[in-house]
Amino acid sequence: WVKESGRSAFRFHQPRKDVDLLSRMRLDHAMRQALQEREFRLHFQPQVSLETGELIGAEALIRWRDPLRGDVPPSEFIPVAEESGFIVAIGQWVLQQAVAQAAAWLKKGLRVPVAVNVSALQFQQTQFVEQVAQALRAYDLPPSLLELELTESVLLRDAEEALHRMQALSELGVLMAIDDFGTGYSSLGYLKRFPIQRLKIDRSFVKGLPGDASDAGIVNAIVQMGRALNLQVIAEGVETDAQRDFLARCGCHEYQGFLCAPALETRAFEERHAQIAAQAQAGQAARAQTA
Ligand code: C2E
Ligand code: MG
Ligand code: MG
Ligand code: MG
């Protein structure tokens, strides 16, 4: 299998031993059908301020229910889509859907900034900036309600090109975050050079909080560094009160995780949003009384 072009051009830089080529090709084929048959959905996970308890945004996460396979987790199909190149089409679909949903919420009076995961290959497309601009225009969404989550690998690939592209996106007015921060291996210099607004602490570091001394040290360091650089810092994968309290104490701005909610379908997200708003108000009223 050496073809580089065509409908499913698998490239194997790093042949994966866990899933064999044939099942990867089958999965890729099924994904292409799934996009046509509208089997993909976007779910939204609330992002909450550690200071006020208010909702500050939502991360859009793709979901796929295949008629035969059942729910296929993104960790299974996204790597295959990245390998075959189909991630570009999926990513474009996700971008459109997320922007459409944020715009629909805005029309209903809900201001929900939406964060979208962007794969390296998608980001490298020369049309990427134009696609973002087009989606914003098509749905008339204020650019500040869209955040792009990029991983360190995106920035590493071709740093100069990435910088240009990010500057163009920044001029559009969209926000950018570094996802899974701390898991890649890149120089910290890019934090200064790239026009980003937010760091997302990877959940592998949140897991051991507050007891694990290494995790606590790493998280503390990321938060202090982020604050010093004027970046918002959000922790992902927060599951317990103890984790949340630790993060609040060390000055982390925001969190997302099962403690608040998993990624939810639109209707359930709206219901949770209302609860979060009510809780934040009650908390603020209580604080005002004691103040
Ligand atoms: P990510 O961007 O780091 O997303 C966070 C993942 O952590 C999500 O998994 C989310 O459901 C999960 N998560 C959130 N809170 C908790 C928690 O408290 N505990 C635990 N154990 N997990 C939590 P998901 O949805 O399975 O997505 C996995 C990865 O797949 C994402 O990691 C992202 O890299 C990728 N992905 C998901 N949707 C998209 C997409 O639309 N486009 C692209 N390119 N990648 C996507
Ligand atoms: Mg993400
Ligand atoms: Mg993440
Ligand atoms: Mg992560």
Side-chain angles (χ1 to χ4, degrees):
W1 191 266
V2 287
K3 282 211 36 99
E4 273 272 336
S5 58
R7 264 167 49 85
S8 40
F10 279 91
R11 284 171 248 105
F12 352 52
H13 316 297
Q14 304 145 307
R16 288 163 29 135
K17 292 182 191 71
D18 46 348
V19 191
D20 66 71
L21 177 62
L22 192 59
S23 36
R24 265 148 50 214
M25 286 170 64
R26 284 204 190 99
L27 193 62
D28 191 64
H29 180 72
M31 269 189 294
R32 285 164 201 264
Q33 261 182 339
L35 191 60
Q36 286 190 329
E37 320 245 313
R38 300 161 182 269
E39 285 167 17
F40 290 113
R41 291 281 174 273
L42 273 194
H43 282 192
F44 296 88
Q45 184 173 40
Q47 301 177 320
V48 177
S49 163
L50 280 161
E51 210 180 303
T52 66
E54 285 169 314
L55 184 117
I56 61 109
E59 179 174 3
L61 292 158
I62 194 167
R63 297 291 177 257
W64 175 22
R65 179 164 296 170
D66 179 85
L68 294 172
R69 293 161 221 262
D71 288 326
V72 188
S75 57
E76 238 171 73
F77 67 86
I78 295 284
V80 175
E82 280 172 341
E83 198 179 6
S84 74
F86 192 56
I87 190 66
V88 175
I90 293 181
Q92 172 65 1
W93 179 85
V94 169
L95 177 68
Q96 293 279 332
Q97 293 294 307
V99 168
Q101 186 59 66
W105 276 327
L106 198 58
K107 284 212 179 78
K108 291 172 71 174
L110 291 180
R111 201 184 160 281
V112 184
V114 170
V116 171
N117 293 285
V118 177
S119 281
L121 194 62
Q122 185 188 5
F123 185 77
Q124 282 161 22
Q125 303 296 302
T126 43
Q127 331 84 289
F128 180 67
V129 177
E130 187 45 35
Q131 286 174 344
V132 172
Q134 248 166 31
L136 293 170
R137 250 182 279 129
Y139 296 97
D140 200 21
L141 185 75
S144 61
L145 291 183
L146 177 65
E147 180 169 272
L148 304 174
E149 294 194 2
L150 311 170
T151 55
E152 290 165 79
S153 63
V154 170
L155 311 180
L156 266 182
R157 210 62 64 90
D158 179 349
E160 283 314 310
E161 184 56 38
L163 181 58
H164 278 129
R165 205 149 288 181
M166 288 174 79
Q167 277 162 350
L169 289 163
S170 188
E171 274 157 33
L172 278 182
V174 304
L175 306 176
M176 279 165 279
I178 308 289
D179 201 359
D180 304 336
F181 185 73
T183 59
Y185 45 96
S186 46
S187 95
L188 292 175
Y190 70 82
L191 290 181
K192 198 173 86 174
R193 294 177 61 213
F194 291 120
I196 54 169
Q197 287 76 37
R198 182 175 274 119
L199 294 181
K200 301 196 70 177
I201 303 177
D202 190 67
R203 74 162 186 268
S204 59
F205 303 120
V206 172
K207 215 169 173 189
L209 298 181
D212 184 287
S214 310
D215 283 349
I218 290 168
V219 166
N220 218 339
I222 294 175
V223 170
Q224 299 323 314
M225 184 176 61
R227 294 189 72 102
L229 294 169
N230 254 318
L231 300 170
Q232 291 295 113
V233 184
I234 184 165
E236 54 178 32
V238 176
E239 296 182 353
T240 69
D241 286 322
Q243 289 169 340
R244 184 189 52 195
D245 295 345
F246 177 92
L247 289 158
R249 273 200 310 279
C250 72
C252 186
H253 300 101
E254 297 136 5
Y255 82 96
Q256 63 185 86
F258 296 163
L259 179 63
C260 176
L264 302 165
E265 45 127 1
T266 309
R267 183 75 64 80
F269 178 88
E270 289 169 7
E271 284 166 14
R272 190 74 188 99
H273 183 354
Q275 292 170 345
I276 292 167
Q279 272 171 1
Q281 275 212 327
Q284 263 157 28
R287 275 197 299 277
Q289 282 228 313
T290 54

